[in-house]
Amino acid sequence: MSSTISISADSPETDAVAVRGACPHDCPDTCALVTTVVNGIATEVRGNPQHVHTQGVLCTKVSRYTERTYHPERLLYPLRRCGPKGSGQFERVSWDEALADIAQRLQAIARREPQAIVPYSYAGTMGLVQGESMASRFFHKLGASQLDRTICSSAGGEALTCTLGGKVGMKVEFFAQSRLILIWGSNSITSNLHFWRLAQQAKRAGARLVCIDPRRSETAEKCHEHVQLLPGTDAALALAIMHELIVNDWLDHDYLADYTLGWEALRERALRWSAERASAICGVPAAQIRSLARDWGTTRPAAIRLNYGMQRVRGGGNAVRAIACLPALTGAWREPAGGMLLSSSGMFPVDRAALQRPDLLAGRVPRTINMSTIGNDLLRSSSPQFGPKIEALVVYNSNPVAVAPESGKVVAGFDREDLFTVVLEHFQTDTADYADYVLPATTQLEHWDVHLSYGHTDVLLNRPAIAPLGQARPNTQIFRELARRLGYGEPCFAEDDESLCRQAYGSRVEFSELLERGYATLEVPDAPFAAGGFPTPSGKCEFFSERLARQGLDGLPDHVPNYEVPIPSGCYPLAMISPPARNFLNSSFVNVRSLQQTEGEPLLELNPGDAAARGIASGMVVRVFNDRGEYRCKAHVSERARPGVVNGLGVWWRKLGLDGTNVNQLTSQRLTDLGRGPVFYDCLVEVEAA
Ligand code: SF4
């Protein structure tokens, strides 16, 4: 099969072709797509029924991909600012005009100080080519600042690396055969739909499902049990489970002896964590902790599906480390349906050096800006510690004005008249409003890309299904043309997108198979750590991490309390978490009308007790505030929020909110214990009727 799949003979659309692709969004499922194209127009995007992880099913959001692609507000031409920063006033310009001016202005800064230029990007597309390939080459050659891409998963990623050796875990398909599944910090129905299907299969076959989450999510409602702990207390819970495993001898002593490092030290640490001690911290009954530990210690095969929400607190890295130790204590890794999965992305043999070409730095070592502190960093002056003041920002695949923490400061930074900002985008987002130039980028239906997944182990290829809309161009083409205008003559700047797709995996994945089927399955053993073999320095599951100890950090996992722990008599007695609204994916899809209508408006979920104490009823406009700012939205009084915790569902575009702000007006720029990540769910607030 070549570029297209034939449409069945009974299709009424005789000119229809079907094109294979991949979902580009920040979701572990990385679905295989099939786009129906009639006379050059994409009429439908479906899941590929032949792809075992997709099984022909997409989530509601991406089922609407044609609505998003042909959205009447899609950016189709380059725009140049013609009003004050942030006013959203732009005029249409030609690509030549835009690229010539951008190249000239970046060049002028780079001649003085290339590190004053900062790229800002994340997972607006997860594609390896439209993400960090030609863009990285360009910024490496320029000598621009490097970006520490921490905003989502770096605490958990660092924790996995220090414990298991990388972003590795069990194969997702085997969850269907587990007898016990702990769904920890994940609303799978919303953000890991295809895993949820496997969990349902397991449930039908008699498995027990336990959800561990501060929010009574859609997933928690459908599990046998919900452990509704306080935000930021997951490590305490994991350590108390270990305590119970030890005192009841629900341990696999052989696995511990042969395939783990630091057991004696961890044992000593865990014995300090009685169920009663953890209960006082987690806000969960001691009896429930004991019963959870009994389930984990006595059920085989048993598995944990962890997601990234719970690591967005000060101690998020330690929490993931503590949880990642649990399968080794009971030898759960011995079976294919046992172990844990947070991310499988470390199993993909991506040749990032070929794509990104760090050799173009030619020995220079630019400073690194943490994307999670962009609010502070845009407001900093030049100094020996910080380096040069940021003079130019090139944003692609990200919407930092909406998604970065403490957005009051982020907005103040983007509002600087002396900051030159270029934004590559599909829509006029909150961030695009602050641009000097907005460049129209192609969507997944209009360009080549190749993908890994962080929820399964298949590589996917995305072929363009339709021609770019208007004058939209792929990110790669935009950076290629900027490189040409800056006189970069290296052959790597002339490579086309299909070549970049081929380079991503080199000979490690058969490109012909990707062309033929749209996907290729990595060869991964069914029980990858049944006999150790972890990609750590010791080859064992490292309860004690020498790497952390060398940095002066605790070598063992521990409970690290939140920065902001509520006290009932304090000014801000409520802990706020900001999980994704069901119909949005970070800030993508917020402007898709049908999804926005389903979602309604920005909501804050409050427990009935907390609402009554403040005279708040569902539907009232509330003011949510702390020292960092305030945010107005509608109250939804519901048991989805546990007492003392409010759920500010995100991430709405600021300009679509009630007063031009969103929940990140309240979040802080402090960082996690490991991985330098943001602490979105470590945030105290007070709420009152507005
Ligand atoms: S967002 Fe996730 S579930 Fe939805 S289509 Fe993409 S990969 Fe599949």
Side-chain angles (χ1 to χ4, degrees), residues 369-657:
I369 297 289
N370 186 338
M371 69 189 308
S372 301
T373 55
I374 192 67
N376 282 341
D377 291 341
L378 283 176
L379 298 175
R380 292 174 77 164
S381 307
S382 300
S383 72
Q385 298 76 32
F386 181 60
K389 181 175 178 173
I390 299 173
E391 295 181 49
L393 205 53
V394 182
V395 182
Y396 52 105
N397 304 335
S398 186
N399 182 8
V401 171
V403 304
E406 202 173 356
S407 42
K409 289 205 175 152
V410 181
V411 168
F414 271 83
D415 203 32
R416 277 177 39 203
E417 276 294 338
D418 64 339
L419 179 73
F420 178 58
T421 304
V422 179
V423 176
L424 283 59
E425 250 306 348
H426 300 148
F427 296 104
Q428 192 67 35
T429 59
D430 290 331
T431 305
D433 281 347
Y434 286 88
D436 292 281
Y437 280 97
V438 183
L439 303 179
T442 45
T443 69
Q444 190 77 343
L445 300 192
E446 300 153 63
H447 56 224
W448 283 92
D449 218 326
V450 68
H451 289 253
L452 51 67
S453 168
Y454 64 100
H456 58 69
T457 46
D458 286 2
V459 174
L460 278 86
L461 181 71
N462 186 75
R463 289 170 179 274
I466 56 173
L469 263 63
Q471 294 181 6
R473 293 181 177 178
N475 290 350
T476 42
Q477 190 181 344
I478 295 170
F479 286 109
R480 210 178 273 124
E481 291 182 17
L482 283 173
R484 184 174 61 78
R485 283 176 159 80
L486 265 66
Y488 299 164
E490 288 82 353
C492 71
F493 288 109
E495 286 165 357
D496 65 18
D497 287 5
E498 189 183 334
S499 306
L500 291 169
C501 287
R502 288 175 186 273
Q503 285 171 25
Y505 293 96
S507 59
R508 285 164 287 225
V509 172
E510 277 295 335
F511 199 74
S512 57
E513 191 181 348
L514 293 177
L515 287 170
E516 180 72 18
R517 290 204 304 162
Y519 56 90
T521 302
L522 298 180
E523 280 186 29
V524 177
D526 286 350
F529 309 119
F534 293 94
T536 51
S538 63
K540 298 181 176 186
C541 175
E542 297 197 347
F543 298 149
F544 181 85
S545 167
E546 191 59 50
R547 169 181 162 149
L548 291 177
R550 272 201 305 273
Q551 295 170 45
L553 301 171
D554 192 347
L556 292 172
D558 204 353
H559 167 61
V560 178
N562 276 4
Y563 288 114
E564 301 187 9
V565 178
I567 1 172
S569 59
C571 299
Y572 306 117
L574 298 169
M576 186 185 77
I577 59 172
S578 39
R582 182 170 184 167
N583 292 285
F584 303 153
L585 207 157
N586 302 326
S587 73
S588 299
F589 297 98
V590 177
N591 65 328
V592 175
R593 295 277 181 271
S594 62
L595 296 172
Q596 197 187 99
Q597 278 160 9
T598 311
E599 205 53 50
E601 53 201 337
L603 289 181
L604 184 83
E605 295 172 348
L606 291 108
N607 183 266
D610 292 323
R614 291 164 176 79
I616 293 169
S618 279
M620 285 172 70
V621 175
V622 288
R623 176 176 169 255
V624 194
F625 61 100
N626 61 20
D627 286 342
R628 290 179 286 271
E630 66 176 60
Y631 163 55
R632 276 162 218 266
C633 60
K634 289 276 179 73
H636 180 59
V637 179
S638 159
E639 298 285 351
R640 286 210 189 279
R642 62 158 286 160
V645 179
V646 293
N647 310 321
L649 304 183
V651 180
W652 281 80
W653 290 9
R654 289 166 61 86
K655 59 186 168 188
L656 298 177

Side-chain angles (χ1 to χ4, degrees), residues 164 168-182 255 296 299-305 324 326-342 347 525-531 534:
L164 307 180
V168 296
M170 58 184 283
K171 290 170 81 170
V172 71
E173 51 268 43
F174 288 109
F175 276 97
Q177 296 168 28
S178 303
R179 303 289 297 167
L180 170 70
I181 304 177
L182 308 188
Y255 197 93
W296 182 255
T299 313
R300 296 291 286 268
I304 302 171
R305 183 63 172 105
L326 289 172
L329 266 73
T330 54
W333 291 113
R334 289 188 189 276
E335 291 128 322
M340 68 163 282
L341 178 64
L342 169 58
M347 292 164 143
D526 286 350
F529 309 119
F534 293 94

Side-chain angles (χ1 to χ4, degrees), residues 23-25 27-31 33 57-59 61-62 193-194 585:
C23 175
H25 290 288
C27 166
D29 296 19
T30 317
C31 290
L33 309 180
V57 177
L58 303 180
C59 63
K61 297 167 282 235
V62 175
L193 187 64
H194 296 78
L585 207 157

